[in-house]
Amino acid sequence: MRTAFAFATALLLSATSLAHAGNSDAEVYTYGTELDIASVLSIKLEPTPFCRVTNAVMTYRDSTDQVRKLSYRTLSESCKTEN
C-alpha cells in the first residue's frame, strides 16, 4: 500500500524540467503520459539525506517485452522514516 502511494505520488510530482538523473535515454514523465508497464525491473533514486522531492528513473518492460526507462520526480527514501 505504501509503495503504491509512493509511486502514485512520484508520478503526480513530476515536472517537465526534470533532470534525467544521468539517464539521457529515459522518457520524462509528464501528466497524461500513457504508461504501458508489464513489469518493473528497477527504480533508482538520487540519494539525499533529507526528506524532499528528488529525481528517479524506473526501468521497466512494456507489453511488447521492450525495456524502457522513465524519469520522474518522487519523495526521497529519507521520507520513509519521517511522519
Side-chain angles (χ1 to χ4, degrees):
M1 174 76 174
R2 191 170 201 164
T3 303
F5 176 74
F7 185 72
T9 301
L11 295 178
L12 292 174
L13 293 175
S14 66
T16 57
S17 62
L18 175 65
H20 294 333
N23 289 298
S24 60
D25 58 339
E27 176 185 2
V28 177
Y29 177 83
T30 57
Y31 184 79
T33 300
E34 293 194 27
L35 301 175
D36 176 17
I37 302 171
S39 64
V40 175
L41 302 176
S42 70
I43 295 178
K44 295 183 182 178
L45 301 171
E46 280 186 6
T48 178
F50 308 107
C51 179
R52 65 179 185 173
V53 177
T54 188
N55 299 321
V57 175
M58 175 176 59
T59 304
Y60 66 95
R61 288 192 189 276
D62 64 13
S63 61
T64 63
D65 210 33
Q66 284 189 309
V67 175
R68 299 183 180 270
K69 292 184 180 183
L70 182 73
S71 62
Y72 59 94
R73 305 279 286 165
T74 188
L75 294 174
S76 65
E77 290 288 318
S78 305
C79 298
K80 290 182 178 181
T81 58
E82 294 186 16
N83 290 329

